[in-house]
């Protein structure tokens, strides 16, 4: 959350890695930060002017951050190319020169308004692209002194849970500022349900206790927090928790031990799942392309078929449309005769002689039973 100490923590781990002669690749994604206490290799502020964006698009602070991230996310290919290059094994050094080492850690600072980052398309793109190229771990920074009340603790946990759900990436809870307040209670509340219960009762008995923010409070609130802590039990089991002070550097070793553990988990559990989802997206995309292509071909077929009808030469022979016309003509079993075939009578005003005769006969026999013209024609044909 805002003010939890993300940027100070970045400074701390950056100097820790430099001290280990293992300098990280540093990325700052907070366009609104005034100054960062570390040297960023890629800084969103170099390519997007946050104040300008707010003015131009008439946006507030959050809208400005979101739009800046969206503009920055359009460069994701360049960013990935840079990262691939820096993490790839460098060419062998020339004799007498020190061997350059590949970057082993990429550390990224996010804007304080975390919902802007996690729930925006650009946050998705940036995280998704990183995770599809490198083992990626989320460090969720908690302001430990401000989490001492059960309700702030619970809202922090729900926030972390929503980010875990959204990003589907391994997560480490970093309880920061342990120089001000020890983080033991956080781990206890996460792993021991009774301990959380006791804290709830304690706050109910003296609501002004804790950090004075009044935690559990009324019965309703107490039971709500109660049921939530039960629900989150499963979620807690997916997390690593470390207590750190970005001020003093205490706990940073534990953090990097947790990162190595989570990176192994990423390779084992998350990467196959990412691979599967990527494949699924590819298949869906291919399926959609196929469907679009078929529809296009069908449309084109229809148009070429109808246009070829106009261009095709008239058929010389009428197609046989039924086996009746295949039979031998002289066993005259009353098959329909196509008037055009009568070539032995001469035609008079379009009617052959036999048809004219049939017409005459039908006039001279006014009382015939239902003497339909067609039957008469048939008779005339036999004749
Ligand atoms: N005592 C103590 N103070 C800390 C620690 N880490 C950060 N702070 C203080 O907490 C305040 C916020 O620190 P930042 O690093 O700017 O927090 P942030 O999460 O980056 O803030 P936003 O980017 O605005 O969300 C600053 O006054 C820091 O000096 C810590 O480990 N111990
Ligand atoms: Mg910050």
């Amino acid at each position: 959350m805002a003010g939890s100490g993300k940027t100070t923590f970045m400074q701390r781990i950056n100097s820790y890695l430099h001290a280990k002669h293992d300098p990280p690749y540093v990325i700052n994604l907070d366009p609104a930060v005034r100054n960062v206490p570390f040297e960023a290799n890629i800084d969103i502020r170099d390519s997007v002017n946050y104040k300008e964006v707010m003015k131009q698009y008439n946006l507030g602070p959050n809208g400005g951050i979101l739009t800046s991230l969206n503009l920055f996310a359009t460069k994701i290919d360049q960013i990935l190319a840079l990262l691939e290059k820096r993490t790839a094994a460098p060419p062998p050094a020339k004799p007498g020169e020190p061997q350059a080492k590949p970057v082993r850690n990429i550390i990224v600072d996010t804007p304080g308004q975390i919902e802007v980052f996690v729930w925006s398309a650009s946050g998705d793109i940036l995280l998704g692209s990183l995770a599809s190229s490198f083992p990626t771990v989320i460090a969720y920074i908690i302001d430990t002194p401000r989490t001492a009340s059960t309700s702030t603790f619970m809202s922090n946990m729900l926030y972390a849970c929503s980010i875990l759900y959204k990003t589907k990436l391994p997560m480490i809870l970093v309880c920061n500022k342990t120089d001000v307040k020890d983080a033991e209670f956080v781990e206890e509340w996460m792993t021991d349900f009774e301990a959380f219960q006791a804290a709830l009762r304690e706050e109910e008995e003296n609501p002004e206790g804790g950090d004075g923010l009044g935690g559990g409070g009324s019965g309703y609130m107490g039971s709500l927090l109660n049921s939530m802590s039960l629900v989150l039990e499963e979620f807690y089991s997916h997390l690593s928790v470390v207590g750190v002070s970005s001020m003093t550097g205490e706990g940073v070793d534990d953090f990097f031990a947790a990162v190595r553990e989570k990176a192994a988990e990423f390779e084992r559990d998350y990467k196959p799942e990412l691979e599967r989802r990527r494949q699924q997206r590819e298949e869906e995309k291919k399926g959609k392309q196929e469907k679009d292509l078929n529809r296009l071909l069908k449309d084109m077929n229809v148009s070429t078929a109808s246009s070829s009808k106009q261009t095709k030469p008239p058929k010389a022979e009428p197609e046989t449309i039924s086996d009746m016309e295949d039979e031998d003509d002289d066993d005259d079993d009353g098959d329909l005769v196509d008037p055009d075939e009568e070539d032995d009578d001469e035609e008079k005003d379009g009617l052959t002689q036999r048809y004219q005769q049939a017409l005459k006969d039908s006039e001279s026999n006014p009382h015939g039973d239902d003497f339909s013209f067609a039957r008469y024609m048939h008779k005339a044909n036999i004749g």
Side-chain angles (χ1 to χ4, degrees):
M1 291 184 170
S4 54
K6 296 182 293 299
T7 305
T8 315
F9 180 68
M10 279 282 289
Q11 180 197 17
R12 171 55 62 189
I13 57 177
N14 185 37
S15 50
Y16 174 92
L17 289 170
H18 274 278
K20 298 253 175 210
H21 306 296
D22 188 5
Y25 197 83
V26 185
I27 301 178
N28 170 45
L29 292 182
D30 186 352
V33 67
R34 233 185 296 283
N35 55 24
V36 286
F38 45 76
E39 186 72 24
N41 297 85
I42 295 181
D43 194 324
I44 185 171
R45 296 173 303 168
D46 296 342
S47 37
V48 185
N49 180 331
Y50 166 66
K51 289 231 177 330
E52 211 34 55
V53 163
M54 279 214 292
K55 218 167 26 192
Q56 230 177 34
Y57 297 96
N58 192 17
L59 297 165
N62 279 0
I65 289 181
L66 179 64
T67 310
S68 306
L69 277 170
N70 289 341
L71 294 171
F72 186 73
T74 55
K75 301 176 184 295
I76 187 66
D77 294 344
Q78 295 164 33
I79 297 166
L80 283 182
L82 264 176
L83 295 177
E84 306 273 359
K85 208 168 96 204
R86 297 299 303 273
T87 49
K94 292 193 189 76
E97 281 185 8
Q99 172 60 40
K101 282 197 291 185
V103 163
R104 285 176 353 117
N105 293 285
I106 300 165
I107 57 177
V108 185
D109 192 10
T110 57
Q113 294 71 358
I114 195 63
E115 70 284 351
V116 159
F117 185 74
V118 173
W119 298 97
S120 66
S122 44
D124 239 1
I125 292 169
L126 291 165
L127 262 183
S129 314
L130 282 174
S132 55
S133 313
F134 309 97
T136 304
V137 177
I138 305 265
Y140 182 84
I141 313 295
I142 289 182
D143 186 330
T144 311
R146 275 181 40 204
T147 308
S149 85
T150 49
S151 51
T152 333
F153 168 81
M154 193 45 77
S155 50
N156 244 317
M157 290 302 123
L158 288 172
Y159 223 49
C161 182
S162 79
I163 293 174
L164 180 75
Y165 167 74
K166 174 74 180 135
T167 59
K168 298 187 182 49
L169 289 172
M171 181 182 273
I172 302 172
L173 280 192
V174 179
C175 302
N176 189 30
K177 308 188 186 179
T178 50
D179 55 297
V180 176
K181 179 166 177 68
D182 188 79
E184 199 119 310
F185 75 95
V186 173
E187 212 155 340
E188 214 186 349
W189 286 0
M190 287 172 69
T191 49
D192 174 356
F193 178 60
E194 305 301 323
F196 188 67
Q197 290 277 321
L200 276 175
R201 273 193 301 280
E202 155 88 9
E203 282 174 1
E204 265 167 31
E205 272 129 41
N206 56 333
E208 286 321 306
D211 54 0
L213 291 174
S218 69
Y220 162 73
M221 193 58 181
S223 62
L224 175 67
L225 290 173
N226 201 348
S227 38
M228 275 183 179
S229 65
L230 279 173
V231 164
L232 288 178
E233 211 156 345
E234 169 61 24
F235 157 65
Y236 292 151
S237 64
H238 289 275
L239 300 179
S240 305
V241 187
V242 291
V244 162
S245 163
S246 307
M247 257 338 155
T248 63
E250 182 216 346
V252 176
D253 279 323
D254 302 341
F255 170 71
F256 277 102
V259 168
R260 279 189 291 280
E261 194 193 296
K262 285 297 175 191
E265 197 179 302
F266 176 91
E267 294 292 346
R268 191 186 60 238
D269 307 337
Y270 288 79
K271 197 166 181 177
E273 173 58 18
L274 271 175
E275 213 28 56
R276 191 191 62 75
R277 284 208 310 262
R278 202 179 56 75
Q279 241 154 36
Q280 197 181 3
R281 275 200 303 272
E282 284 298 313
E283 263 138 46
E284 278 159 12
K285 210 165 83 185
K286 228 167 34 206
K288 191 173 165 322
Q289 276 166 352
E290 230 143 77
K291 225 161 81 195
D292 294 348
L293 190 66
N294 291 338
R295 211 174 44 230
L296 182 74
L297 287 177
K298 210 160 128 242
D299 295 351
M300 278 169 61
N301 249 346
V302 166
S303 56
T304 41
S306 55
S307 59
S308 66
K309 258 213 186 94
Q310 277 112 31
T311 50
K312 238 188 244 154
K315 261 199 281 315
E317 281 298 304
E319 263 155 41
T320 310
I321 45 175
S322 79
D323 51 7
M324 267 167 51
E325 301 204 343
D326 280 347
E327 262 132 53
D328 190 1
D329 276 0
D330 44 13
D331 59 346
D332 204 332
D333 53 0
D335 53 342
L336 289 175
V337 177
D338 174 344
D340 298 346
E341 270 176 7
E342 302 288 312
D343 44 12
D344 44 351
D345 298 20
E346 80 282 357
E347 294 225 338
K348 203 167 133 236
D349 53 35
L351 278 179
T352 60
Q353 218 168 5
R354 281 205 292 174
Y355 283 172
Q356 290 163 38
Q357 185 53 44
L359 272 178
K360 235 191 271 139
D361 293 354
S362 66
E363 269 137 37
S364 61
N365 170 12
H367 306 295
D369 54 10
D370 57 351
F371 220 95
S372 74
F373 181 62
R375 229 187 63 185
Y376 216 88
M377 297 302 280
H378 171 72
K379 216 167 138 276
N381 285 336
I382 292 171

